[in-house]
């Protein structure tokens, strides 16, 4: 007889572990199955985000920023440091320590909330049973009234540039280089490519980014992307647009690349190659053939607006379903599903999910871009404000970028906010709150913002929507 639970969650990433904790908080007997193995060979809860994604990448971004500031930003403050150097062992070790702290923290949260963890790969069987295969090949089966599929995503691998974890790496490999590459190639100018490319560029790598699309950061607002591109060029990131990789060969401890653009074929030799062309839902081996759970053409689990699969008691959340592949989106879906299972009013609004790219400068947005509004025929008005006119940003020597606000031309409801500049990963939250409560640009314009703060850029952008910004011409 298999052990019976109220809820079994397959996957302990930001979607899965949050769903498990919330379900347990609501009094449901909960188990969470995960197979991620840490550097020490033991179970490491937290999925991609905590182990080889969000958290370690931010640790390296911050460390590399500290080093970069010594040479490039401190002198303007009258501070000079001689002989600064990077101890890469300590650099990577700090990242590993932070990862261990947070993955261990989830284990403690499981204990505190009485969530039962299982170590192994989970597979959904018919009748809401879950088969768990351990790393040693052993199998056991548990069952539940409800099963939440939170299997996450994995990097997309190019057939002609397969990962060898030494010369051609994915995001995980780029977090653990044993030395700073003299020449780093990056395929894909998306979030991962830009963030990790920035880390190694700050430490001295000659970084070339090949992006197959003709437009830079096409998912972001065009005005914001244009500003960001100029700043990345100043940093020294060599971003080639419309450049499609066609061949990658490892030769004598180097990677020889061939790519094509509008001018024909080109060759590039690098020491390391990071392939960051996107991620795909990880559903390999997740479902027995007779479960009734369906996958779409992209391999994602098909769900309704409540993240239900259509199979009684089976739900799916996070990167494995539709919507943006963002940790916070998955977490909120996890909370919502746990609450729906418990008979409560769960909530998730995909229209107000914020996006953040933690480069220097940071990029953040929520809602529609100007192009999307044009394409949809929605009447809108625009307000912008530059950080160059914000006293706090100037005092920080980070007076770059702007805030751009889009509001409905008739109702004034905020439809989208887009930012590039210092601290915008935090500033976007105010705008998300306003949008979630169907706020208008007038609402933000009439709220008192402390001075001097970076948040004044949001205030002035809201004022600018109706051409009444105070600290710039209208």
């Amino acid at each position: 007889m298999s052990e019976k639970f109220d809820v079994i969650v397959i996957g302990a990433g930001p979607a899965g572990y949050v769903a498990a904790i919330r379900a347990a908080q609501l009094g449901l007997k909960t188990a969470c199955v995960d197979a991620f193995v840490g550097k020490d060979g033991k179970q490491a809860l937290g999925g991609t985000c905590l182990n080889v994604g969000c958290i370690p990448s931010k640790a390296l971004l911050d460390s590399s920023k500290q080093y970069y500031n010594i040479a490039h930003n401190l002198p303007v403050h009258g501070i000079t440091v001689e002989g600064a150097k990077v101890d890469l062992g300590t650099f990577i070790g700090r990242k590993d320590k932070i990862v261990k702290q947070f993955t261990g923290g989830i284990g403690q949260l499981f204990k505190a909330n009485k969530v039962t963890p299982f170590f192994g790969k989970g597979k959904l069987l018919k009748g809401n049973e879950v088969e768990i295969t351990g790393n040693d090949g052993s199998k056991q089966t548990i069952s539940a009234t409800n099963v939440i599929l939170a299997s996450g995503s994995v990097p997309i691998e190019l057939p002609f540039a397969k990962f060898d974890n030494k010369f051609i790496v994915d995001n995980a490999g780029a977090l653990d280089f044993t030395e700073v590459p003299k020449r780093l190639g990056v395929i894909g100018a998306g979030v991962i490519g830009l963030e990790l490319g920035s880390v190694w560029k700050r430490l001295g790598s000659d970084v070339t980014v090949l992006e197959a699309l003709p437009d830079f950061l096409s998912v972001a607002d065009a005005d914001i992307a244009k500003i960001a591109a100029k700043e990345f060029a100043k940093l020294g990131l060599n971003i080639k647009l419309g450049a499609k990789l066609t061949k990658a060969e490892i030769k004598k401890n180097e990677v020889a690349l061939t790519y094509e653009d509008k001018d024909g074929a080109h060759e590039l030799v690098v020491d390391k190659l990071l392939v960051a062309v996107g991620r795909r839902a990880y559903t390999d081996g997740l479902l027995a053939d007779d479960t009734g759970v369906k996958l779409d053409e992209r391999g994602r689990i098909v769900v309704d607006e409540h993240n239900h699969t259509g199979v009684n008691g089976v739900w799916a959340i996070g990167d494995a379903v539709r919507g943006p592949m963002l940790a916070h989106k998955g977490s909120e879906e996890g909370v919502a599903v746990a609450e729906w299972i418990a008979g409560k009013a769960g909530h998730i609004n995909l229209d107000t999910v914020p996006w953040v790219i933690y480069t220097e400068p940071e990029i953040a947005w929520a809602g529609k871009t100007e192009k999307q509004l044009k394409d949809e025929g929605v009447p809108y008005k625009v307000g912008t404000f530059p950080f160059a006119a914000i006293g706090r940003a100037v005092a920080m020597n980070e007076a770059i970028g702007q805030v751009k606000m889009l509001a409905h031309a008739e109702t004034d409801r905020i439809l989208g906010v887009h930012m590039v500049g210092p601290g915008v990963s935090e500033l976007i939250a105010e705008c998300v709150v306003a949008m979630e409560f169907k706020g208008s640009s007038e609402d933000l314009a009439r709220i008192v913002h402390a001075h001097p703060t970076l948040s004044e850029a949001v205030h002035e952008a809201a004022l600018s929507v109706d051409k009444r910004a105070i600290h710039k011409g209208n």
Side-chain angles (χ1 to χ4, degrees), residues 67-81 397:
Y67 177 71
Y68 186 82
N69 281 345
I70 290 173
H72 299 276
N73 292 332
L74 291 187
V76 75
H77 295 280
I79 303 170
T80 302
V81 179
N397 195 40

Side-chain angles (χ1 to χ4, degrees), residues 183 254-257 267-271:
R183 300 162 298 179
E254 296 178 331
V255 187
L257 308 178
E267 294 184 351
L268 175 68
V269 177
V270 297
D271 299 294

